[in-house]
């Protein structure tokens, strides 16, 4: 899992005179990898069926391409979160939610990451919650607390103990990735909500370039099977 929160590129000046920066992008790398693998395997199987199949098999396999490919793209490659100083954009499998920061009520990470805006709740597919990561982070946090207590005892008992601070910009091993991303986005919402260019309603758009080919392919597949 990764994000583009390094040093954002400076863009044109915002209306308030401050420089505008490129979007921070968050997405699940395991999701992208699994999507690429699924498409590769499906491409090999469908290609083999189309070239070597008999009877209806080649036609059925070709008609099945959009029925399989577009949902896989929707659920693995498409999901992403894009955030800048003005708005938060959440790309889910079938919809895109664009929420100016002033309309964002909160972001929270429970069993899934959720965006609360204008009294409605939206799931954030691009930032999956891993209970395994949370347990591992909890163990690291507990181990750090034990070490801290031990070191404090050494400080007060002997008066000497060299400290080591984590590298600037490093990820926090005591929190799961989803919790870290949620905290960053919540902080951006609080910081940018008062900006004059961060106002406006939430806009929800359906992803028709995924939905339409899937429905057309499904109709074609049913037709080929029944005819």
């Amino acid at each position: 899992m990764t994000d583009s929160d390094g040093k954002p590129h400076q863009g044109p000046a915002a209306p308030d005179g401050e420089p505008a920066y490129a979007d921070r992008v968050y997405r699940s790398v395991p999701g992208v990898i699994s999507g690429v693998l699924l498409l590769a395997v499906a491409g090999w199987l469908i290609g083999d069926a189309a070239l070597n199949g008999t009877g209806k098999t080649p036609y059925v396999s070709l008609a099945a391409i959009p029925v399989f490919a577009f949902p896989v793209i929707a659920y693995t490659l498409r999901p992403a979160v894009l955030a800048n100083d003005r708005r938060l954009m959440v790309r889910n499998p079938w919809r895109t939610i664009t929420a100016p920061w002033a309309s964002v009520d909160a972001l929270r990470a429970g069993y899934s990451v959720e965006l609360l805006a204008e009294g409605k709740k939206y799931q954030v597919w691009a930032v999956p919650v891993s209970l395994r990561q949370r347990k591992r982070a909890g163990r690291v946090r507990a181990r750090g607390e034990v070490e801290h207590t031990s070191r404090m005892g050494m400080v007060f008992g002997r008066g000497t103990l060299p400290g080591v601070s984590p590298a600037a910009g490093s990820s926090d091993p005591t929190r799961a990735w989803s919790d870290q991303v949620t905290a960053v986005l919540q902080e951006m919402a609080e910081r940018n909500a008062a900006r004059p260019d961060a106002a406006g309603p939430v806009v929800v758009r359906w992803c028709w370039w995924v939905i339409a080919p899937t429905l057309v392919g499904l109709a074609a597949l049913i037709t080929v099977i029944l005819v």
Side-chain angles (χ1 to χ4, degrees):
M1 286 170 281
T2 186
D3 65 77
S4 61
D5 184 20
K7 293 184 178 179
H9 299 290
Q10 183 172 328
D16 57 5
E18 295 182 2
Y21 294 97
D23 287 335
R24 298 182 181 186
V25 182
Y26 301 91
R27 68 198 323 156
S28 170
V29 170
V32 173
I33 293 174
S34 64
V36 171
L37 292 177
L38 282 172
L39 291 174
V41 172
W44 176 70
L45 292 175
I46 292 174
D48 180 69
L51 293 175
N52 302 318
T54 58
K56 290 185 178 181
T57 300
Y59 304 102
V60 170
S61 61
L62 292 175
I65 292 176
V67 179
F68 179 82
F70 282 95
V72 168
I73 293 172
Y75 281 95
T76 60
L77 304 183
R78 170 176 156 77
V81 173
L82 300 90
N84 59 29
D85 292 340
R86 303 183 310 279
R87 57 94 181 108
L88 174 69
M89 179 184 292
V90 177
R91 285 199 334 228
N92 283 340
W94 306 106
R95 299 189 301 175
T96 298
I97 301 97
T98 303
W101 289 119
S103 68
V104 174
D105 300 323
L107 287 120
R108 64 188 184 191
Y111 289 105
S112 63
V113 176
E114 297 173 341
L115 164 65
L116 305 179
E118 294 184 339
K120 296 183 179 181
K121 180 172 65 177
Y122 305 95
Q123 301 294 324
V124 181
W125 281 78
V127 187
V129 171
S130 171
L131 297 181
R132 179 179 297 180
Q133 279 191 5
R134 281 184 175 168
K135 290 180 180 179
R136 183 166 60 245
R139 290 194 296 268
V140 172
R141 185 166 56 250
R143 186 164 59 248
E145 291 173 355
V146 171
E147 292 176 354
H148 176 72
T149 302
S150 175
R151 290 184 179 185
M152 289 300 294
M154 293 174 64
V155 168
F156 289 111
R158 303 180 184 179
T160 58
L161 180 67
V164 179
S165 60
S170 62
S171 61
D172 185 356
T174 64
R175 290 193 300 173
W177 178 74
S178 57
D179 297 329
Q180 294 183 54
V181 172
T182 303
V184 170
L185 295 177
Q186 180 63 39
E187 191 274 333
M188 291 183 69
E190 295 171 356
R191 185 178 69 246
N192 297 309
R195 290 174 60 96
D197 57 346
V202 176
V203 177
V204 180
R205 292 188 176 89
W206 290 95
C207 184
W208 290 109
W209 69 265
V210 171
I211 298 173
T214 302
L215 295 177
V216 171
L218 181 60
L221 179 61
I222 294 174
T223 301
V224 170
I225 292 175
L226 295 179
V227 171

